Amino acid sequence: HIPVCEKSLKQACELLGLEGDKLIQSLTIRTISLSTQRRVSVFHKPCERASQCEERRDALMQLIYAKLFDHIVSFINLQVSADKKLWSTFIGILDVYGFETFENNSLEQLCINYVNERLQQEFIKRYLSTEHRILREEGFIDLDIPYTDNTKCLSALDSHVSVFAILNEECQLKREVRESEACMRVCNALNDTGVVFPPASPRHKPGFVVKHYAGHVKYDSKGLLHKNKDEVPHEVESLLGGSSCDFVANMVVGISAEIEGDFGIKKTRKVTTLTKFKASLDTLLKTLTKCDLHYVRCIKPNAQGLPGLPVVEYVMHQLQSCGIIETIRISQAGYPVRLS
């Protein structure tokens, strides 16, 4: 028996325009569909553990939060945007989370650090490598200022055989989630890259370590695949779709990307968090490639974020890993003024 807080249930139903018994049913009973060439069989199976119900509850909350967030951003953009017929250029500000490494790192940190790797690569292509070429053209033939190239790291994170590919593949398999085994697959497949390797104690703290341009980060196996699956149970979608509140009901319109399978049976394509995140980042970078970029680098004085306590080694590591030292050397080697 799974306990229910009647007060919280009542509040949730009032806010979402739902019936209490239907909400409980969607959170405690799983609907399993088995497809054959001729028909689809549907079974209803109660959740065996409270943790399964908690996962379904969390999926419901995350779905509502994501849809509300998208709605608010779209509404604000609509209100402040000028007619596109009236302008052809714009000034944009991209504020990105810095490189993150904590005691426990999961999919959120993997995504954030992947963004930083991609932006660092863009900086290398846009500025460092371009400046190298220009200085050679201007006669600085003997100039040799090495800079950190993170191509290997990005290839290990996102390519045909990579961290992203393996985690996505694990999420597509119709079997019980085995996060520690998935991390072992990552380590075994990418151990020769020199970028990804197993942690010091894989049995006690399973996961994998990535050598980022800014430092080593250990990503824990716990919750990694669950977060990447980003599954919204069909019962939860149907529940919100039947809400008496039009705003709530409209939130779930068009969530599932359905494709026609054999014999007219509809199948739902699983789109993972990493896949959606990468697609969004690719769109952003396409915009950046069309822009004249100016960079503002923020340096942390210490790992604790405390004022008045600069740690020289910590600051220097950031300056070196971000390519700022190389940038200064290259700028110093060239002419102070360049006509264009």
Side-chain angles (χ1 to χ4, degrees), residues 220-255:
D220 303 313
S221 63
K222 186 177 180 181
L224 205 59
L225 292 184
H226 276 297
K227 293 176 181 178
N228 191 37
K229 274 190 171 184
D230 193 29
E231 281 188 321
V232 179
H234 177 69
E235 306 92 304
V236 172
E237 290 183 31
S238 300
L239 176 73
L240 293 180
S243 170
S244 60
C245 175
D246 292 338
F247 179 79
V248 174
N250 291 332
M251 285 197 303
V252 297
V253 174
I255 285 182

Side-chain angles (χ1 to χ4, degrees), residues 62-74 247 251:
Q62 290 167 5
L63 173 63
I64 295 172
Y65 178 88
K67 290 298 177 181
L68 283 175
F69 185 88
D70 291 342
H71 172 77
I72 292 172
V73 172
S74 298
F247 179 79
M251 285 197 303

Side-chain angles (χ1 to χ4, degrees), residues 124-125 128-130 132 145-149 323 326 330:
I124 291 172
K125 288 181 179 178
L128 294 181
S129 60
T130 302
H132 259 261
I145 301 176
Y147 55 87
T148 304
D149 189 352
E326 293 92 335
I330 290 176

Side-chain angles (χ1 to χ4, degrees), residues 84-338:
K84 289 188 177 181
K85 296 179 181 178
L86 303 178
W87 59 274
S88 58
T89 58
F90 67 92
I91 297 175
I93 299 176
L94 175 62
D95 187 8
V96 182
Y97 278 106
F99 185 80
E100 287 191 352
T101 175
F102 304 116
E103 184 176 348
N104 298 306
N105 301 288
S106 190
L107 193 72
E108 298 89 343
Q109 284 69 47
L110 180 61
C111 290
I112 289 171
N113 293 339
Y114 173 67
V115 170
N116 280 276
E117 290 284 359
R118 290 284 298 272
L119 292 176
Q120 177 68 7
Q121 185 186 54
E122 188 68 23
F123 173 71
I124 291 172
K125 288 181 179 178
R126 278 290 191 99
Y127 187 80
L128 294 181
S129 60
T130 302
E131 287 297 309
H132 259 261
R133 177 181 56 79
I134 292 175
L135 288 175
R136 289 193 183 93
E137 292 175 355
E138 291 180 341
F140 296 90
I141 302 174
D142 297 329
L143 179 68
D144 184 18
I145 301 176
Y147 55 87
T148 304
D149 189 352
N150 64 342
T151 303
K152 284 187 177 180
C153 181
L154 280 171
S155 178
L157 288 175
D158 179 26
S159 63
H160 182 64
V161 179
S162 63
V163 174
F164 282 19
I166 294 173
L167 294 181
N168 285 338
E169 183 181 287
E170 286 286 336
C171 290
Q172 300 294 338
L173 299 176
K174 293 184 178 180
R175 67 182 186 189
E176 186 179 352
V177 173
R178 301 170 183 173
E179 294 175 322
S180 58
E181 292 183 13
C183 290
M184 287 180 60
R185 276 193 63 196
V186 169
C187 295
N188 293 334
L190 303 172
N191 197 36
D192 294 337
T193 62
V195 177
V196 179
F197 42 91
S201 54
R203 289 188 177 181
H204 298 92
K205 292 184 177 181
F208 57 89
V209 178
V210 177
K211 182 182 178 182
H212 290 283
Y213 75 88
H216 292 66
V217 179
K218 176 187 176 294
Y219 297 100
D220 303 313
S221 63
K222 186 177 180 181
L224 205 59
L225 292 184
H226 276 297
K227 293 176 181 178
N228 191 37
K229 274 190 171 184
D230 193 29
E231 281 188 321
V232 179
H234 177 69
E235 306 92 304
V236 172
E237 290 183 31
S238 300
L239 176 73
L240 293 180
S243 170
S244 60
C245 175
D246 292 338
F247 179 79
V248 174
N250 291 332
M251 285 197 303
V252 297
V253 174
I255 285 182
S256 297
E258 293 185 329
I259 56 175
E260 289 291 336
D262 297 333
F263 300 94
I265 297 174
K266 287 188 175 181
K267 300 178 181 179
T268 302
R269 182 190 294 113
K270 290 183 179 179
V271 182
T272 65
T273 299
L274 288 174
T275 301
K276 290 187 287 187
F277 186 82
K278 182 180 179 299
S280 177
L281 180 59
D282 289 342
T283 302
L284 170 64
L285 289 175
K286 284 182 181 179
T287 302
L288 292 181
T289 55
K290 302 175 184 177
C291 299
D292 182 16
L293 300 181
H294 300 269
Y295 295 88
V296 177
R297 294 285 192 179
C298 299
I299 304 298
K300 295 181 180 179
N302 53 69
Q304 294 74 28
L306 299 175
L309 293 174
V311 179
V312 175
E313 295 81 3
Y314 188 76
V315 172
M316 283 300 299
H317 175 71
Q318 293 175 80
L319 294 175
Q320 291 171 346
S321 62
C322 292
I324 296 177
I325 300 297
E326 293 92 335
T327 302
I328 294 173
R329 288 174 178 169
I330 290 176
S331 299
Q332 187 181 35
Y335 295 114
V337 177
R338 180 175 296 147

